[in-house]
Amino acid sequence: MTQPSQNPIRILLVDDHQSVLWGLVKLIESASPSMEVIGTAADMPNALTMAQREQPDIVLLDVDINGANSLDSISDLTKVTEARVLILTGVRDTETHDRAMLAGARGVVNKAESAEIILKAIRVVHQGEIWLDRAATGRVFSRLLHPTNGPASRDAVKIASLTSREREIVGVIIDHGRSTNKQISAHLRMSEHTLRNHLTSIYAKLEVGNRLELAIYALKHGLGKSDR
């Protein structure tokens, strides 16, 4: 019978909150020598660079990195490393969890779970298994077996890809349609450069070309005040 490997599980932590990273490092250190942190990253470019260089066993990834949805980067991670991606999130939205799994993650664990559960999730995913509750597993397999490709389903996926910050921006644009980018950025308390970056991401996700098309799309699909 093959003996289990004595090598520690090598983990890359990706979260844009330093306090969360600090806590995760301490948690992983508490499981030494069976686990070790090989690096931390607070943004996706650094995460991709570190994953390619260090080749971790597990990437523990937050859903929302600097206002951007990190689920879109899972495929990029799997191109540069064979690490298994485990999503650690405070978001309880089932659609987000399902999208994570369909994007290639091996599991989703909530930040509110106990330290023991988070460590167990890491071990289970490292062993090649899936970490997901029974209901979510059923939903994901159902979507894989019975995909829906109609317009409504496609729009739902696009809208679900928006981060909470991006949804807020869309709502402000609907409310202040005649305002300039400078005025909108001031209302949102962000720089014009940051607003333009967010808009570029929103346009790409919703497949629109400008603010007018965005406003029309948002009103058509109910992305207004009630969405915020």
Side-chain angles (χ1 to χ4, degrees), residues 4-211:
S5 171
Q6 297 302 308
N7 294 328
I9 302 172
R10 304 174 69 252
I11 303 165
L12 171 62
L13 304 173
V14 185
D15 197 297
D16 60 345
H17 294 89
Q18 290 302 316
S19 59
V20 174
L21 284 176
W22 182 87
L24 289 172
V25 168
K26 294 300 181 184
L27 174 62
I28 303 304
E29 287 178 347
S30 74
S32 179
S34 64
M35 298 182 189
E36 67 175 354
V37 175
I38 55 88
T40 65
D43 57 63
M44 288 314 302
N46 280 329
L48 289 167
T49 298
M50 197 168 295
Q52 185 171 25
R53 184 179 69 238
E54 301 295 337
Q55 292 298 311
D57 299 312
I58 297 289
V59 176
L60 197 57
L61 176 66
D62 188 18
V63 166
D64 195 329
I65 302 292
N66 296 316
N69 194 319
S70 66
L71 303 186
D72 299 329
S73 299
I74 292 178
S75 61
D76 295 327
L77 279 168
T78 57
K79 289 176 184 176
V80 300
T81 177
E82 295 183 0
R84 297 182 172 101
V85 178
L86 175 61
I87 299 296
L88 180 64
T89 179
V91 177
R92 294 186 179 276
D93 177 49
T94 57
E95 178 66 23
T96 299
H97 295 187
D98 295 352
R99 283 190 62 244
M101 300 300 292
L102 293 169
R106 298 297 188 93
V108 178
V109 62
N110 197 282
K111 289 181 178 180
E113 295 285 5
S114 66
E116 291 77 9
I117 292 297
I118 294 173
L119 293 175
K120 182 178 180 180
I122 292 172
R123 294 188 182 97
V124 167
V125 170
H126 180 251
Q127 292 167 1
E129 299 179 31
I130 297 296
W131 182 269
L132 205 60
D133 63 61
R134 184 173 298 177
T137 302
R139 289 195 309 270
V140 171
F141 276 101
S142 177
R143 292 175 66 169
L144 288 172
L145 291 171
H146 307 288
T148 55
N149 299 313
S153 173
R154 191 163 183 269
D155 284 325
V157 171
K158 290 194 293 185
I159 291 169
S161 71
L162 296 175
T163 66
S164 57
R165 187 59 160 162
E166 289 169 345
R167 285 174 178 265
E168 179 186 8
I169 290 169
V170 172
V172 171
I173 287 175
I174 295 300
D175 291 345
H176 304 274
R178 294 185 179 182
S179 299
T180 64
N181 278 359
K182 183 177 182 179
Q183 292 170 324
I184 289 175
S185 63
H187 181 85
L188 290 163
R189 298 182 179 179
M190 65 173 60
S191 68
E192 285 187 74
H193 176 73
T194 300
L195 175 62
R196 285 195 296 270
N197 286 341
H198 279 300
L199 286 174
T200 297
S201 174
I202 293 168
Y203 293 163
K205 290 179 179 181
L206 299 183
E207 298 179 6
V208 298
N210 51 50
R211 274 181 51 183

